[in-house]
Amino acid sequence: MRTTRQLAIVLALVMTPSAALAKGGHSPEDAAAQREQIEAGLAQDPRAAVAALRDAGEELGDPELFLLAATRARDEARSSRDPELALEAESLALVAQDIGSYLSDDDNYSATDWRPVTRDRAADLAGEAGSLATQAHELAEEIEAERAAAAAAAERARLESLANADKPKRELKPGTGLIAGGSVALAVGASGIGLLGAGIAMGQANQREAESLSLPAELARLEELDRKGATANTLAYVGGAVAAVGVGVGVALIVVGVKKRKAAGPQEQAHVHMSGWFDHNGGGLALQGRF
């Protein structure tokens, strides 16, 4: 959704310059003075500060405010391990990058009196924002992978605890717990694949509709699609992380369990077959075997 988001911001500021200048000032000096006042009044709570900076950035069209909001959101997400906040940081950084890229162009900068930053600063800001967006995206994936790994480990521990609690009437075959745990992890991975497919499908649908809108008349619908696109991206990121960890852990557990079963003798051997599917509507895994 970056292209349509950038277009919406540029159109809103270029086609309604009087409103933008009345709120945001017309020079880098005016914008810097406003930023100083805004920062002085920020709340101590990091999330409230991010929201205030984002709202001020949207009102004034100042890329520096979006960059500040993205930085604070990234730092708080790293501390609290919140993947949604990390994705918000990425989105804010991309907006700052888009505005900076627009203003760094000589023709664009000369054609408007809306200049919240200097042209040279706009170019540097676009680079900083792009780097921050990449960091925030990688942070979100890292946090989701941690959560998926923790969930898989907890489930494996639970199954192993059940297997070791009371000796059943029929003694479990060697490797049963590992194979069962691997099957559960694969099921988690399959749900991740489904989320990934759903997120991609939703994102593509939103993108197609956004590209067909008439701007700026349908700007409100574009913003709604932008929010839906962010949700679709979150589903895809979460699905990808869950699928990667679930399938990886599941296959490893099953392989170890099958080896233990084979080591116990031919009469104890297990047979496992796994197959997968994926299309524009989603995806999944199928697991068959004799344990």
Side-chain angles (χ1 to χ4, degrees):
M1 299 294 292
R2 282 192 60 193
T3 301
T4 51
R5 177 68 175 180
Q6 177 181 351
L7 179 59
I9 292 172
V10 171
L11 284 174
L13 292 170
V14 173
M15 298 185 70
T16 57
S18 59
L21 296 178
K23 295 180 179 178
H26 65 279
S27 70
E29 293 76 16
D30 293 333
Q34 287 183 317
R35 284 195 297 273
E36 185 176 350
Q37 292 180 354
I38 292 169
E39 290 188 74
L42 290 177
Q44 292 295 321
D45 178 67
R47 295 171 187 265
V50 169
L53 288 168
R54 181 192 62 230
D55 292 344
E58 292 177 350
E59 179 182 2
L60 304 177
D62 187 343
E64 294 280 15
L65 292 173
F66 282 108
L67 185 61
L68 284 171
T71 301
R72 293 205 176 201
R74 186 272 316 272
D75 292 344
E76 175 61 18
R78 181 180 290 157
S79 175
S80 63
R81 311 310 289 172
D82 184 343
E84 293 184 359
L85 190 58
L87 291 175
E88 182 177 358
E90 179 189 13
S91 177
L92 291 167
L94 290 175
V95 173
Q97 182 185 32
D98 290 341
I99 299 176
S101 297
Y102 177 82
L103 290 175
S104 66
D105 181 84
D106 288 333
D107 292 337
N108 292 338
Y109 200 82
S110 300
T112 179
D113 289 331
W114 168 68
R115 298 170 181 171
V117 295
T118 65
R119 193 199 65 77
D120 290 340
R121 173 54 187 159
D124 292 340
L125 184 146
E128 294 174 17
S131 176
L132 179 57
T134 299
Q135 295 173 21
H137 180 84
E138 292 175 349
L139 176 61
E141 291 184 333
E142 174 186 314
I143 296 171
E144 288 297 349
E146 289 174 358
R147 291 186 174 186
E155 182 63 19
R156 183 174 69 245
R158 185 186 72 84
L159 291 171
E160 291 178 350
S161 177
L162 290 175
N164 296 328
D166 296 323
K167 190 174 181 180
K169 295 180 180 179
R170 182 176 64 85
E171 185 176 352
L172 293 176
K173 296 178 181 180
T176 298
L178 291 171
I179 295 174
S183 301
V184 172
L186 283 177
V188 173
S191 67
I193 292 175
L195 280 176
L196 173 62
I200 292 174
M202 288 173 58
Q204 291 175 340
N206 291 332
Q207 181 67 42
R208 286 193 298 270
E209 182 177 351
E211 291 174 351
S212 68
L213 296 179
S214 176
L215 297 176
E218 296 182 281
L219 182 59
R221 178 54 179 168
L222 178 65
E223 292 177 347
E224 180 182 355
L225 290 173
D226 187 49
R227 290 191 296 271
K228 291 182 177 180
T231 300
N233 287 340
T234 300
L235 286 176
Y237 297 147
V238 172
V242 171
V245 174
V247 172
V249 173
V251 170
L253 289 176
I254 289 176
V255 168
V256 174
V258 170
K259 286 183 177 180
K260 285 189 174 183
R261 183 69 58 82
K262 289 182 177 180
Q267 69 280 9
E268 301 290 351
Q269 289 188 12
H271 300 282
V272 179
H273 174 70
M274 181 177 65
S275 60
W277 58 270
F278 184 85
D279 58 26
H280 65 281
N281 292 318
L285 289 173
L287 181 68
Q288 297 178 328
R290 178 175 63 81
F291 303 156

